[in-house]
Amino acid sequence: MQASQSKDIRIQRTCKSLIQALTDLLVEKTFDEIRVKDICQRAGVHRSTFYDHFEDKLHLLTYGIQDLMDILISPATDNMAKMQHAIYRVFKFFKLNQQEYTLLFLDPRNAAAKQLFQRE
């Protein structure tokens, strides 16, 4: 599933809940310790619904990264003010989610998730 492909509001809501659940769980556990079952329980989503949209938790993380990039890149144009605004949004996003992304990037147990984020 591509981040920009989900048009149905219910699908968007489900995917957003799953991403938020994964983000919240990263505060408590390493990426490797998190199971799909944990994500589904936190999001209040049945496992079959998870697998209707994602192959596994890496696919969910990839979707979240792509969604973030779509949000951050979309306002970027030749207009310098809009580019500065997009950069500001990047820093604001990471400031608001500092704890989760600090754990993701600095905890060596999250190496696979960090590499995926860098690749995407």
PDB file of all heavy atoms in Angstrom, residues 74-94:
ATOM      1  N   SER A  74       5.261  17.709  -0.060  1.00  0.00           N
ATOM      2  CA  SER A  74       4.186  18.246  -0.894  1.00  0.00           C
ATOM      3  C   SER A  74       4.186  19.769  -1.037  1.00  0.00           C
ATOM      4  O   SER A  74       3.939  20.256  -2.126  1.00  0.00           O
ATOM      5  CB  SER A  74       2.825  17.757  -0.414  1.00  0.00           C
ATOM      6  OG  SER A  74       2.554  18.222   0.879  1.00  0.00           O
ATOM      7  N   PRO A  75       4.475  20.555   0.005  1.00  0.00           N
ATOM      8  CA  PRO A  75       4.437  22.004  -0.203  1.00  0.00           C
ATOM      9  C   PRO A  75       5.696  22.562  -0.866  1.00  0.00           C
ATOM     10  O   PRO A  75       5.757  23.734  -1.187  1.00  0.00           O
ATOM     11  CB  PRO A  75       4.282  22.569   1.210  1.00  0.00           C
ATOM     12  CG  PRO A  75       4.880  21.542   2.086  1.00  0.00           C
ATOM     13  CD  PRO A  75       4.637  20.219   1.406  1.00  0.00           C
ATOM     14  N   ALA A  76       6.713  21.729  -1.077  1.00  0.00           N
ATOM     15  CA  ALA A  76       7.966  22.218  -1.637  1.00  0.00           C
ATOM     16  C   ALA A  76       7.792  22.567  -3.114  1.00  0.00           C
ATOM     17  O   ALA A  76       7.382  21.762  -3.917  1.00  0.00           O
ATOM     18  CB  ALA A  76       9.059  21.171  -1.473  1.00  0.00           C
ATOM     19  N   THR A  77       8.087  23.810  -3.427  1.00  0.00           N
ATOM     20  CA  THR A  77       8.051  24.291  -4.810  1.00  0.00           C
ATOM     21  C   THR A  77       9.272  25.169  -5.012  1.00  0.00           C
ATOM     22  O   THR A  77      10.156  25.226  -4.159  1.00  0.00           O
ATOM     23  CB  THR A  77       6.779  25.129  -5.064  1.00  0.00           C
ATOM     24  OG1 THR A  77       6.845  26.318  -4.266  1.00  0.00           O
ATOM     25  CG2 THR A  77       5.515  24.356  -4.757  1.00  0.00           C
ATOM     26  N   ASP A  78       9.293  25.872  -6.125  1.00  0.00           N
ATOM     27  CA  ASP A  78      10.406  26.794  -6.385  1.00  0.00           C
ATOM     28  C   ASP A  78      10.353  27.997  -5.455  1.00  0.00           C
ATOM     29  O   ASP A  78      11.336  28.699  -5.285  1.00  0.00           O
ATOM     30  CB  ASP A  78      10.369  27.266  -7.848  1.00  0.00           C
ATOM     31  CG  ASP A  78      10.666  26.134  -8.809  1.00  0.00           C
ATOM     32  OD1 ASP A  78      11.350  25.177  -8.403  1.00  0.00           O
ATOM     33  OD2 ASP A  78      10.220  26.207  -9.960  1.00  0.00           O
ATOM     34  N   ASN A  79       9.237  28.210  -4.853  1.00  0.00           N
ATOM     35  CA  ASN A  79       9.080  29.342  -3.963  1.00  0.00           C
ATOM     36  C   ASN A  79       9.845  29.093  -2.660  1.00  0.00           C
ATOM     37  O   ASN A  79       9.561  28.166  -1.922  1.00  0.00           O
ATOM     38  CB  ASN A  79       7.583  29.544  -3.689  1.00  0.00           C
ATOM     39  CG  ASN A  79       7.306  30.754  -2.842  1.00  0.00           C
ATOM     40  OD1 ASN A  79       8.066  31.093  -1.945  1.00  0.00           O
ATOM     41  ND2 ASN A  79       6.199  31.408  -3.116  1.00  0.00           N
ATOM     42  N   MET A  80      10.826  29.914  -2.367  1.00  0.00           N
ATOM     43  CA  MET A  80      11.696  29.729  -1.204  1.00  0.00           C
ATOM     44  C   MET A  80      10.915  29.764   0.110  1.00  0.00           C
ATOM     45  O   MET A  80      11.207  28.989   1.020  1.00  0.00           O
ATOM     46  CB  MET A  80      12.795  30.798  -1.182  1.00  0.00           C
ATOM     47  CG  MET A  80      13.806  30.617  -0.056  1.00  0.00           C
ATOM     48  SD  MET A  80      14.590  28.981  -0.038  1.00  0.00           S
ATOM     49  CE  MET A  80      15.784  29.200  -1.314  1.00  0.00           C
ATOM     50  N   ALA A  81       9.923  30.604   0.222  1.00  0.00           N
ATOM     51  CA  ALA A  81       9.135  30.669   1.463  1.00  0.00           C
ATOM     52  C   ALA A  81       8.441  29.339   1.734  1.00  0.00           C
ATOM     53  O   ALA A  81       8.401  28.880   2.879  1.00  0.00           O
ATOM     54  CB  ALA A  81       8.114  31.800   1.383  1.00  0.00           C
ATOM     55  N   LYS A  82       7.912  28.720   0.693  1.00  0.00           N
ATOM     56  CA  LYS A  82       7.252  27.428   0.875  1.00  0.00           C
ATOM     57  C   LYS A  82       8.269  26.352   1.246  1.00  0.00           C
ATOM     58  O   LYS A  82       7.988  25.480   2.059  1.00  0.00           O
ATOM     59  CB  LYS A  82       6.477  27.044  -0.373  1.00  0.00           C
ATOM     60  CG  LYS A  82       5.211  27.859  -0.551  1.00  0.00           C
ATOM     61  CD  LYS A  82       4.388  27.350  -1.702  1.00  0.00           C
ATOM     62  CE  LYS A  82       3.105  28.162  -1.815  1.00  0.00           C
ATOM     63  NZ  LYS A  82       2.218  27.627  -2.838  1.00  0.00           N
ATOM     64  N   MET A  83       9.458  26.416   0.674  1.00  0.00           N
ATOM     65  CA  MET A  83      10.503  25.455   1.008  1.00  0.00           C
ATOM     66  C   MET A  83      10.924  25.631   2.467  1.00  0.00           C
ATOM     67  O   MET A  83      11.084  24.651   3.201  1.00  0.00           O
ATOM     68  CB  MET A  83      11.722  25.632   0.093  1.00  0.00           C
ATOM     69  CG  MET A  83      12.836  24.649   0.401  1.00  0.00           C
ATOM     70  SD  MET A  83      12.356  22.928   0.213  1.00  0.00           S
ATOM     71  CE  MET A  83      12.676  22.731  -1.511  1.00  0.00           C
ATOM     72  N   GLN A  84      11.074  26.864   2.904  1.00  0.00           N
ATOM     73  CA  GLN A  84      11.423  27.119   4.303  1.00  0.00           C
ATOM     74  C   GLN A  84      10.322  26.608   5.230  1.00  0.00           C
ATOM     75  O   GLN A  84      10.608  26.046   6.288  1.00  0.00           O
ATOM     76  CB  GLN A  84      11.669  28.608   4.527  1.00  0.00           C
ATOM     77  CG  GLN A  84      12.959  29.091   3.900  1.00  0.00           C
ATOM     78  CD  GLN A  84      13.112  30.599   3.978  1.00  0.00           C
ATOM     79  OE1 GLN A  84      12.131  31.339   4.071  1.00  0.00           O
ATOM     80  NE2 GLN A  84      14.352  31.058   3.924  1.00  0.00           N
ATOM     81  N   HIS A  85       9.084  26.790   4.824  1.00  0.00           N
ATOM     82  CA  HIS A  85       7.965  26.289   5.621  1.00  0.00           C
ATOM     83  C   HIS A  85       8.011  24.767   5.725  1.00  0.00           C
ATOM     84  O   HIS A  85       7.778  24.209   6.802  1.00  0.00           O
ATOM     85  CB  HIS A  85       6.632  26.746   5.015  1.00  0.00           C
ATOM     86  CG  HIS A  85       5.445  26.255   5.760  1.00  0.00           C
ATOM     87  ND1 HIS A  85       5.103  26.735   7.019  1.00  0.00           N
ATOM     88  CD2 HIS A  85       4.516  25.310   5.457  1.00  0.00           C
ATOM     89  CE1 HIS A  85       4.023  26.105   7.442  1.00  0.00           C
ATOM     90  NE2 HIS A  85       3.648  25.247   6.517  1.00  0.00           N
ATOM     91  N   ALA A  86       8.332  24.091   4.618  1.00  0.00           N
ATOM     92  CA  ALA A  86       8.430  22.630   4.625  1.00  0.00           C
ATOM     93  C   ALA A  86       9.550  22.172   5.561  1.00  0.00           C
ATOM     94  O   ALA A  86       9.375  21.223   6.342  1.00  0.00           O
ATOM     95  CB  ALA A  86       8.667  22.109   3.211  1.00  0.00           C
ATOM     96  N   ILE A  87      10.670  22.850   5.519  1.00  0.00           N
ATOM     97  CA  ILE A  87      11.791  22.503   6.409  1.00  0.00           C
ATOM     98  C   ILE A  87      11.398  22.740   7.863  1.00  0.00           C
ATOM     99  O   ILE A  87      11.688  21.916   8.738  1.00  0.00           O
ATOM    100  CB  ILE A  87      13.054  23.302   6.024  1.00  0.00           C
ATOM    101  CG1 ILE A  87      13.547  22.834   4.646  1.00  0.00           C
ATOM    102  CG2 ILE A  87      14.143  23.155   7.080  1.00  0.00           C
ATOM    103  CD1 ILE A  87      14.604  23.711   4.035  1.00  0.00           C
ATOM    104  N   TYR A  88      10.721  23.829   8.125  1.00  0.00           N
ATOM    105  CA  TYR A  88      10.229  24.108   9.474  1.00  0.00           C
ATOM    106  C   TYR A  88       9.326  22.970   9.952  1.00  0.00           C
ATOM    107  O   TYR A  88       9.430  22.515  11.092  1.00  0.00           O
ATOM    108  CB  TYR A  88       9.471  25.437   9.495  1.00  0.00           C
ATOM    109  CG  TYR A  88       8.694  25.664  10.764  1.00  0.00           C
ATOM    110  CD1 TYR A  88       9.343  26.067  11.926  1.00  0.00           C
ATOM    111  CD2 TYR A  88       7.317  25.446  10.801  1.00  0.00           C
ATOM    112  CE1 TYR A  88       8.626  26.253  13.095  1.00  0.00           C
ATOM    113  CE2 TYR A  88       6.603  25.631  11.968  1.00  0.00           C
ATOM    114  CZ  TYR A  88       7.259  26.043  13.110  1.00  0.00           C
ATOM    115  OH  TYR A  88       6.557  26.213  14.270  1.00  0.00           O
ATOM    116  N   ARG A  89       8.449  22.482   9.065  1.00  0.00           N
ATOM    117  CA  ARG A  89       7.541  21.395   9.430  1.00  0.00           C
ATOM    118  C   ARG A  89       8.303  20.112   9.772  1.00  0.00           C
ATOM    119  O   ARG A  89       7.912  19.381  10.674  1.00  0.00           O
ATOM    120  CB  ARG A  89       6.542  21.149   8.301  1.00  0.00           C
ATOM    121  CG  ARG A  89       5.528  22.292   8.173  1.00  0.00           C
ATOM    122  CD  ARG A  89       4.625  22.136   6.994  1.00  0.00           C
ATOM    123  NE  ARG A  89       3.849  20.906   7.084  1.00  0.00           N
ATOM    124  CZ  ARG A  89       3.167  20.390   6.066  1.00  0.00           C
ATOM    125  NH1 ARG A  89       3.162  21.006   4.899  1.00  0.00           N
ATOM    126  NH2 ARG A  89       2.481  19.283   6.211  1.00  0.00           N
ATOM    127  N   VAL A  90       9.402  19.862   9.068  1.00  0.00           N
ATOM    128  CA  VAL A  90      10.227  18.691   9.376  1.00  0.00           C
ATOM    129  C   VAL A  90      10.753  18.789  10.799  1.00  0.00           C
ATOM    130  O   VAL A  90      10.610  17.862  11.603  1.00  0.00           O
ATOM    131  CB  VAL A  90      11.411  18.559   8.385  1.00  0.00           C
ATOM    132  CG1 VAL A  90      12.401  17.504   8.859  1.00  0.00           C
ATOM    133  CG2 VAL A  90      10.902  18.228   6.995  1.00  0.00           C
ATOM    134  N   PHE A  91      11.365  19.927  11.120  1.00  0.00           N
ATOM    135  CA  PHE A  91      11.923  20.100  12.460  1.00  0.00           C
ATOM    136  C   PHE A  91      10.839  20.086  13.531  1.00  0.00           C
ATOM    137  O   PHE A  91      11.026  19.516  14.609  1.00  0.00           O
ATOM    138  CB  PHE A  91      12.758  21.379  12.545  1.00  0.00           C
ATOM    139  CG  PHE A  91      14.076  21.250  11.858  1.00  0.00           C
ATOM    140  CD1 PHE A  91      14.311  21.883  10.662  1.00  0.00           C
ATOM    141  CD2 PHE A  91      15.087  20.461  12.414  1.00  0.00           C
ATOM    142  CE1 PHE A  91      15.537  21.754  10.024  1.00  0.00           C
ATOM    143  CE2 PHE A  91      16.308  20.322  11.782  1.00  0.00           C
ATOM    144  CZ  PHE A  91      16.539  20.970  10.579  1.00  0.00           C
ATOM    145  N   LYS A  92       9.706  20.684  13.252  1.00  0.00           N
ATOM    146  CA  LYS A  92       8.601  20.693  14.207  1.00  0.00           C
ATOM    147  C   LYS A  92       8.094  19.271  14.454  1.00  0.00           C
ATOM    148  O   LYS A  92       7.862  18.879  15.601  1.00  0.00           O
ATOM    149  CB  LYS A  92       7.465  21.577  13.697  1.00  0.00           C
ATOM    150  CG  LYS A  92       6.311  21.689  14.665  1.00  0.00           C
ATOM    151  CD  LYS A  92       5.231  22.623  14.138  1.00  0.00           C
ATOM    152  CE  LYS A  92       4.082  22.695  15.121  1.00  0.00           C
ATOM    153  NZ  LYS A  92       3.005  23.554  14.635  1.00  0.00           N
ATOM    154  N   PHE A  93       7.957  18.494  13.382  1.00  0.00           N
ATOM    155  CA  PHE A  93       7.498  17.109  13.519  1.00  0.00           C
ATOM    156  C   PHE A  93       8.445  16.326  14.422  1.00  0.00           C
ATOM    157  O   PHE A  93       8.016  15.641  15.339  1.00  0.00           O
ATOM    158  CB  PHE A  93       7.397  16.433  12.153  1.00  0.00           C
ATOM    159  CG  PHE A  93       7.041  14.974  12.251  1.00  0.00           C
ATOM    160  CD1 PHE A  93       5.724  14.584  12.360  1.00  0.00           C
ATOM    161  CD2 PHE A  93       8.030  14.005  12.274  1.00  0.00           C
ATOM    162  CE1 PHE A  93       5.390  13.243  12.474  1.00  0.00           C
ATOM    163  CE2 PHE A  93       7.707  12.657  12.390  1.00  0.00           C
ATOM    164  CZ  PHE A  93       6.385  12.284  12.486  1.00  0.00           C
ATOM    165  N   PHE A  94       9.749  16.414  14.150  1.00  0.00           N
ATOM    166  CA  PHE A  94      10.704  15.645  14.945  1.00  0.00           C
ATOM    167  C   PHE A  94      10.794  16.173  16.377  1.00  0.00           C
ATOM    168  O   PHE A  94      11.036  15.401  17.302  1.00  0.00           O
ATOM    169  CB  PHE A  94      12.073  15.592  14.273  1.00  0.00           C
ATOM    170  CG  PHE A  94      12.105  14.620  13.131  1.00  0.00           C
ATOM    171  CD1 PHE A  94      12.241  15.068  11.824  1.00  0.00           C
ATOM    172  CD2 PHE A  94      11.969  13.265  13.343  1.00  0.00           C
ATOM    173  CE1 PHE A  94      12.258  14.174  10.768  1.00  0.00           C
ATOM    174  CE2 PHE A  94      11.975  12.357  12.287  1.00  0.00           C
ATOM    175  CZ  PHE A  94      12.120  12.818  11.000  1.00  0.00           C
TER     176      PHE A  94
END
